[in-house]
Every structure is written in C-alpha cells, then in structure tokens.
C-alpha cells in the first residue's frame, strides 16, 4: 500500500512524503546542490542546526546539537521552548558513507525508527531519499502526527540554506 501523505515546496523541487505499508515512510526531494554540499548540511552541526527546527514551531530552538557523524558515532539533539524543560533525541550512526548515505537509530523511545538518508547525484543536483522503518504500525502513526509531519517544512528550509552556502 502506497499512500501519499504530504508534499510541499516549489513545483520543481517538491517534497514527497509517502507511507509504504504499515511501518515505512519514504520522503524524497531534489536539491539544486551537489551531494557533497547536501551531505555537509546533514553532517556538520553548525549547518544542521540552521535548518532542522521548523520555523513554524515558534519558540522552539535546538539548544544543543552534538553529532559525531561516522559509523559507530552518536548524536544527541536537545530542543527547548524558552523554559528549563528540554526534550532530547538521540541515537547512533549505523552506517556513514560520506556524500552518499547516513543511517541512524532513533533511541529516545521504545518505538524508535531506523532512518536512512541517501544523496544521489543528478548531474550537479541531489536526489535526497529519506527512508524510515518503524517497529510497529502504531509507531508510524504517531510519527505522522508528530515529527514526520514537519519534514516538508524542514527540507524546504534545507533548500534555502543550500542556496546560501554553495560549494
């Protein structure tokens, strides 16, 4: 079962979010930048924190961004909304192939997904594929109501960042 969930962005670089089966989510988008530049935006904390938090999540900020992007490395992202309460997301990198692929776990809960992002060269542009596999149908449903719903906006922000940083 393939179900189109959401899409955003200009007609040329549209973000496609599709549910595949009961436990999988696939997000695709083309960026007007080479894979090496798109990979840097996913793997360098100083770039990552410039686009990851959706602007529509007013008041929310990424207060801490620790990323050791290598096979066996770990990450921890801590979000805050102005008060002392923060929410952390963390996991480990299962596979990292620079400019091609990043695979990581989402370990903050029992229902965490495994996420794979690939960066495919399309003649100087990049076709990004984000694939998440959830442990249950319920975990996917919860993600579609939460963080996964922000992916089109996040990838739109990534596109804006890429146009400003170039090579």
């Amino acid at each position: 079962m393939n179900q189109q969930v959401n899409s955003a962005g200009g007609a040329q670089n549209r973000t496609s979010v599709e549910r595949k089966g009961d436990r999988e989510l696939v997000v695709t988008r083309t960026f007007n930048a080479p894979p090496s530049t798109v990979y840097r935006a996913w793997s360098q904390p100083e770039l990552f924190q410039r686009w990851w938090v959706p602007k529509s999540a007013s008041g929310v900020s990424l207060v801490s961004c620790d990323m050791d992007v290598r096979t066996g490395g770990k990450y921890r992202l801590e979000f805050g909304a102005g008060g002392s309460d923060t929410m952390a997301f963390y996991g480990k990198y299962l596979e990292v192939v620079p400019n091609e692929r990043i695979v990581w776990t989402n370990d903050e809960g029992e229902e965490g997904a495994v996420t794979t992002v690939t960066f495919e060269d399309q003649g100087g542009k990049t076709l990004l594929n984000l694939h998440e596999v959830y442990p249950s149908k319920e975990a996917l449903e919860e993600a579609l109501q939460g963080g996964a719903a922000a992916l089109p906006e996040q990838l739109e922000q990534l596109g804006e960042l890429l146009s400003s940083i170039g090579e």
Side-chain angles (χ1 to χ4, degrees):
M1 164 183 108
N2 290 356
Q3 174 187 359
Q4 181 82 17
V5 177
N6 197 350
S7 64
Q12 206 173 11
N13 292 336
R14 196 174 67 105
T15 298
S16 168
V17 180
E18 283 186 86
R19 178 185 183 141
K20 298 212 177 212
D22 286 342
R23 300 186 316 121
E24 295 180 57
L25 188 65
V26 177
V27 181
T28 57
R29 177 167 171 144
T30 300
F31 292 99
N32 297 328
S36 59
T37 303
V38 181
Y39 173 82
R40 278 189 336 165
W42 280 84
S43 61
Q44 294 180 358
E46 63 277 5
L47 293 176
F48 185 84
Q49 55 194 347
R50 289 174 54 189
W51 67 271
W52 187 250
V53 177
K55 289 179 182 143
S56 66
S58 61
V60 175
S61 64
L62 187 51
V63 296
S64 172
C65 180
D66 297 316
M67 300 167 62
D68 180 11
V69 185
R70 62 181 172 83
T71 301
K74 295 184 178 186
Y75 73 91
R76 181 180 174 84
L77 308 175
E78 203 167 331
F79 297 87
S84 60
D85 290 341
T86 60
M87 179 181 285
F89 294 87
Y90 53 91
K92 58 187 168 292
Y93 295 102
L94 301 177
E95 180 185 4
V96 176
V97 180
N99 307 324
E100 293 179 21
R101 174 183 181 96
I102 304 172
V103 182
W104 69 89
T105 64
N106 298 276
D107 296 339
E108 61 278 347
E110 291 180 21
E111 295 287 303
V114 173
T115 305
T116 301
V117 175
T118 58
F119 312 93
E120 185 181 320
D121 189 1
Q122 302 275 299
K125 294 184 178 187
T126 301
L127 173 61
L128 180 128
N129 282 292
L130 184 144
H131 184 247
E132 292 191 310
V133 178
Y134 291 84
S136 68
K137 179 179 181 180
E138 294 74 25
L140 174 57
E141 293 295 333
E142 187 177 316
L144 288 170
Q145 300 305 312
L151 281 166
E153 183 180 358
Q154 289 169 292
L155 295 180
E156 185 69 22
Q157 290 172 185
L158 173 57
E160 292 168 11
L161 173 69
L162 292 170
S163 67
S164 73
I165 64 171
E167 285 289 328

